[in-house]
Amino acid sequence: MYRTHTCGELTMKNVGQQVTLAGWIQRIRNLGGMTFIDLRDRYGITQLVFNMEKNSQLCEEARALGREYVIQVIGTVAERENKNPRLATGDIEILVETLKIINPSAIPPFTIEDETDGGEELRMKYRYLDLRRNPLKNNLLLRHRMAQEVRRYLDGQQFIEIETPVLMKSTPEGARDFVVPSRMNPGQFYALPQSPQTLKQILMVAGYDRYFQIVKCFRDEDLRADRQPEFTQIDCEMSFVDRDDILVTFEGLIKHLFKTIKGIDFTEPFQRMSYADAMAYFGSDKPDIRFDMKIVELTSKAKGKGFGIFDQAEYIGGINATGCADYSRKEIDALTEFVKRPQIGASGMVYVKYQSDGSIKSSIDKFYTADELRIWLEAAGAKPGDLLLILSGAREKTLKALGNLRLEMGDRLGLRKQDIYAPLWVIDFPLLEWDEEMQRYFAMHHPFTAPVDEDIPLFNTDPSKIRAKAYDMVINGVEVGGGSVRIHQKDLQAKMFEALGFTREEAEYQFGFLMNAFQYGAPPHAGIAFGFDRLVSLFAGLESIRDVIAFPKNNAGRDLMLDSPSYLTEAQLNELRIKVVTDEKNC
Ligand code: ASP
């Protein structure tokens, strides 16, 4: 037997017992005649004591050990003189009688402590060492608990978990596919699923009216902190439901997670906000509603007074920063620099200070009287002491820039508190998005998303105005999930493909299997998928999803530990009938 107990469970109740423990050496301290070792496993840390006077040979052996050695000890549990209230086992220690080295360890390249000295790349290369650290361990434990609660909730709602293949065909999410060559079908390739979208719809045709899967999805996209080439979704689909059934069922899932994992009880239904309102008031389709600071349109109030920049703008809008009228020149300049960053794209910023004494100071005093500016301040609900920040330009771009400025001000004013959660549904997305470069429409969600019934005639007149029966769940400015009611009628689907510029043949080649299935009694259906990594990172209070994934990839899509991707041998390539055209050498 390797161990009688874990390193996290012995307490005063065990004093006097003989125990066997096994684990990794966290730390060795030599204090005069005593040597202390902190022995660690997944469950915690237990202090081992070696006494020079009692057994000098054993104590010398202990002193010769190193960090991260795996050892086994037999000893007696004793009450500690200096108790450590921060450790679950802090009241006791083990007086060691026998010591066995199970496996020595090389010196780790970084310290395995909560705060480590290792850089990110180094920690990714030695991920198994990084995963020994508490912060990562706690993230994986949280992830596990959340996965269990997801299953518990959905199982309780009659959902069944069904696996779908990884070697698949292109799915409709519109990102670039990862592909796998087929040896048995030379020249042909599988695509890894961007999601199980088409298969879950086929499962509805097959009659499995409540499906879910915690599933890997693959998208070959440029990576950022919150993106990985492979990520995990809680993928769900239901039949004989409309939009509100989905919203209620999956609001229930999120509430269940908040309650069981965080102890937070959301009693009220989540707010529902139209895409149009989200853009108009928050400049984003994923508004952070932990704080108000809504965007106020000032176009009609600010135009026509001879200020050229505003007179030429399609849209003028502002946000009111409460209590910021005393911002210095330097602070205003910093905000101006912020909005001028290429990712934000504003060309400048105008401010109006509503000073505490009631007077008004602005960067455009020359063009507007105090009374005119007062009308803007009123529209924005500003009080003395507040600062109105104004951007102008093309409508959509300016709203997005204001949305970013709003988040920046939210950060500066400490309004985006980590321990507050503000979930909402964003609904009524546009069905189609016009791509200027490609001169064609793209599906904003995917081509199987149903239009709002009363908007169907717009296919013939103004497709850009069609609203979709699509919805996103947003928490604290993060899109955690999204889905839609699906089209289940052949004719409507054909109309949609046509609007997207698919020829009949293209639609048939890519999605013919689904259209075929739809001929055999397709029930009305709808679904949603949650980004599980994002949900876990949100619950863990982390910005990046990397630290909630056991083996993530870096920004270049590489697994630094496996050193992957890697070259194939000539023989492998020949077998696949693939010729690599590159300057790099194959192995
Ligand atoms: N398959 C969709 C996605 O991955 C989600 C859905 O519509 O259910 O975005």
Side-chain angles (χ1 to χ4, degrees), residues 173 195 197 200 219 233 445-446 482-484 486 527-529:
E173 278 79 13
S195 86
Q197 183 61 39
K200 68 175 172 175
R219 295 181 195 178
Q233 284 190 344
H445 190 51
H446 53 58
S484 60
R486 323 299 184 190
I528 192 166

Side-chain angles (χ1 to χ4, degrees), residues 171-173 194-198 200-201 217 219 231 233-237 445-446 448-449 470-472 479 481-486 526-530:
T171 54
E173 278 79 13
Q194 292 179 30
S195 86
Q197 183 61 39
T198 47
K200 68 175 172 175
Q201 293 193 238
C217 300
R219 295 181 195 178
F231 58 96
Q233 284 190 344
I234 309 167
D235 190 45
C236 312
E237 196 77 7
H445 190 51
H446 53 58
F448 306 124
T449 296
Y471 30 79
D472 276 358
E479 180 201 323
S484 60
V485 175
R486 323 299 184 190
I528 192 166
F530 289 96

Side-chain angles (χ1 to χ4, degrees), residues 296-434:
V296 192
E297 175 157 12
L298 300 168
T299 315
S300 62
K301 295 182 179 65
K303 267 185 178 243
K305 309 283 178 190
F307 180 43
I309 294 176
F310 280 6
D311 286 349
Q312 282 148 32
E314 180 193 8
Y315 173 94
I316 305 160
I319 52 168
N320 179 42
T322 310
C324 295
D326 57 357
Y327 261 32
S328 64
R329 177 85 219 200
K330 215 168 133 206
E331 282 168 302
I332 300 265
D333 286 349
L335 288 176
T336 309
E337 284 314 308
F338 173 82
V339 297
K340 281 170 134 177
R341 285 184 200 172
Q343 339 55 304
I344 313 258
S347 47
M349 186 185 78
V350 163
Y351 69 85
V352 181
K353 287 180 174 176
Y354 197 173
Q355 310 200 94
S356 308
D357 63 5
S359 67
I360 294 170
K361 200 171 154 210
S362 86
S363 50
I364 41 167
D365 285 338
K366 262 198 260 150
F367 301 95
Y368 299 91
T369 65
D371 282 344
E372 282 165 342
L373 295 179
R374 211 174 288 281
I375 294 175
W376 305 2
L377 291 170
E378 242 164 58
K383 307 246 157 20
D386 291 355
L387 170 69
L388 186 61
L389 301 172
I390 302 169
L391 302 181
S392 63
R395 185 182 148 84
E396 201 177 327
K397 195 169 161 202
T398 307
L399 279 169
K400 284 187 181 162
L402 279 165
N404 279 311
L405 180 60
R406 177 180 173 273
L407 293 181
E408 171 70 14
M409 288 312 297
D411 279 335
R412 282 171 183 253
L413 296 173
L415 301 171
R416 305 179 74 197
K417 294 204 173 62
Q418 252 198 16
D419 52 348
I420 294 178
Y421 295 91
L424 79 153
W425 290 106
V426 178
I427 55 174
D428 290 342
F429 280 84
L431 186 71
L432 303 165
E433 235 175 340
W434 180 252

Side-chain angles (χ1 to χ4, degrees), residues 196-208:
Q197 183 61 39
T198 47
L199 290 175
K200 68 175 172 175
Q201 293 193 238
I202 285 181
L203 283 169
M204 296 303 110
V205 179
Y208 295 87

Side-chain angles (χ1 to χ4, degrees), residues 178 217-220 223 227-231 553-554 557:
F178 280 103
C217 300
F218 307 85
R219 295 181 195 178
D220 188 1
L223 304 178
R227 272 209 202 143
Q228 283 278 304
E230 55 178 305
F231 58 96
K553 305 211 171 18
N554 75 358

Side-chain angles (χ1 to χ4, degrees), residues 219-254:
R219 295 181 195 178
D220 188 1
E221 293 177 304
D222 294 338
L223 304 178
R224 298 189 304 244
D226 62 344
R227 272 209 202 143
Q228 283 278 304
E230 55 178 305
F231 58 96
T232 305
Q233 284 190 344
I234 309 167
D235 190 45
C236 312
E237 196 77 7
M238 299 171 84
S239 294
F240 303 113
V241 289
D242 59 28
R243 187 194 70 181
D244 284 10
D245 298 307
I246 293 273
L247 299 194
V248 168
T249 303
F250 291 99
E251 186 166 317
L253 170 65
I254 296 300

